[in-house]
Amino acid sequence: MSLKGKRIGFGLTGSHCTYDAVMPEIEKLVNLGAEVLPVVSYTVQSTNTRFGDGEDWVKKIEELTGHAVINTIVKAEPLGPKIPLDCMVVAPITGNTMSKFANAMTESPVLMAAKATLRNNKPVVLGISTNDALGLNGVNLMRLMATKNIYFIPFGQDDPVLKPNSMVARMTMLSDTVYAALEDKQIQPVIVEKFRDGQES
């Protein structure tokens, strides 16, 4: 399957430390011929951290995709009925956003875009980055894993010793996961070793 001509929404939420790993994957989708429409949460837009300023990340995303970011719920709603997506990616998706998605809450542009895509029976691909995947958020993770048309970038514990509840997606498998999702398949194995001897697997 080719991604040429596919319209892919790409949502980012507030796991700021993961953006450097995600940007090359956005570029890869564009280079594979997809039209990538960026959608950002309010946190992405407005938060400045040691990993960079929100304004700079938004500018970089717009440069990579050639599209202005979708940054309000109102702007994201047409991704359901008027501008349907072939696939919606949310990477990184934080534990906070994951819990809201699992419980049908729509309080950000990213969640609106994801729910609009599900409404059209199209795949939503999630790349988790949360310190709570094996804690209280585990129930939300499992609920999403059991939901039709939701697929996961393979993920694993990023620091089992110091952060035993934390799990992060292997973002380098993003495009492969999208290919599989477009064929209604969950790429396997979905639980992987995220780091080995301090290095990403």
Side-chain angles (χ1 to χ4, degrees):
M1 175 183 289
S2 172
L3 294 185
K4 188 173 179 61
K6 297 291 185 182
R7 181 185 290 141
I8 297 177
F10 203 107
L12 290 95
T13 67
S15 180
H16 309 282
C17 60
T18 316
Y19 298 161
D20 274 332
V22 167
M23 294 300 149
E25 304 311 311
I26 295 175
E27 186 174 18
K28 187 183 297 184
L29 292 175
V30 172
N31 290 339
L32 288 168
E35 179 188 11
V36 179
L37 303 182
V39 187
V40 295
S41 70
Y42 300 124
T43 301
V44 174
Q45 302 171 58
S46 62
T47 306
N48 300 332
T49 72
R50 62 189 176 94
F51 301 103
D53 293 351
E55 183 178 335
D56 293 334
W57 284 118
V58 167
K59 183 178 179 181
K60 186 167 187 177
I61 297 162
E62 291 180 335
E63 289 174 350
L64 285 173
T65 63
H67 289 283
V69 295
I70 295 168
N71 57 7
T72 68
I73 290 175
V74 172
K75 290 180 182 178
E77 197 277 337
L79 296 179
K82 295 182 180 178
I83 312 172
L85 302 173
D86 293 294
C87 179
M88 176 70 192
V89 177
V90 185
I93 183 168
T94 62
N96 183 49
T97 300
M98 185 169 68
S99 67
K100 292 173 182 176
F101 193 24
N103 289 281
M105 297 177 66
T106 308
E107 52 76 76
S108 78
V110 173
L111 286 170
M112 173 57 80
K115 290 182 70 177
T117 303
L118 286 183
R119 191 166 70 235
N120 287 340
N121 290 313
K122 295 294 184 178
V124 174
V125 169
L126 304 179
I128 69 169
S129 180
T130 172
N131 289 324
D132 199 28
L134 297 179
L136 285 175
N137 230 333
V139 64
N140 296 310
L141 174 60
M142 291 301 108
R143 178 176 289 174
L144 290 171
M145 290 192 77
T147 300
K148 182 181 178 181
N149 292 326
I150 293 180
Y151 303 90
F152 282 81
I153 301 168
F155 57 88
Q157 289 174 284
D158 54 303
D159 191 342
V161 175
L162 297 179
K163 299 190 298 178
N165 287 344
S166 179
M167 301 189 89
V168 178
R170 194 183 286 178
M171 296 301 180
T172 53
M173 298 186 71
L174 191 152
S175 57
D176 289 338
T177 307
V178 170
Y179 276 118
L182 288 169
E183 295 183 345
D184 300 322
K185 296 177 182 177
Q186 170 62 60
I187 194 169
Q188 297 290 346
V190 68
I191 308 296
V192 297
E193 193 170 10
K194 180 67 172 73
F195 286 91
R196 183 181 294 117
D197 296 328
Q199 300 296 319
E200 187 167 0
S201 302

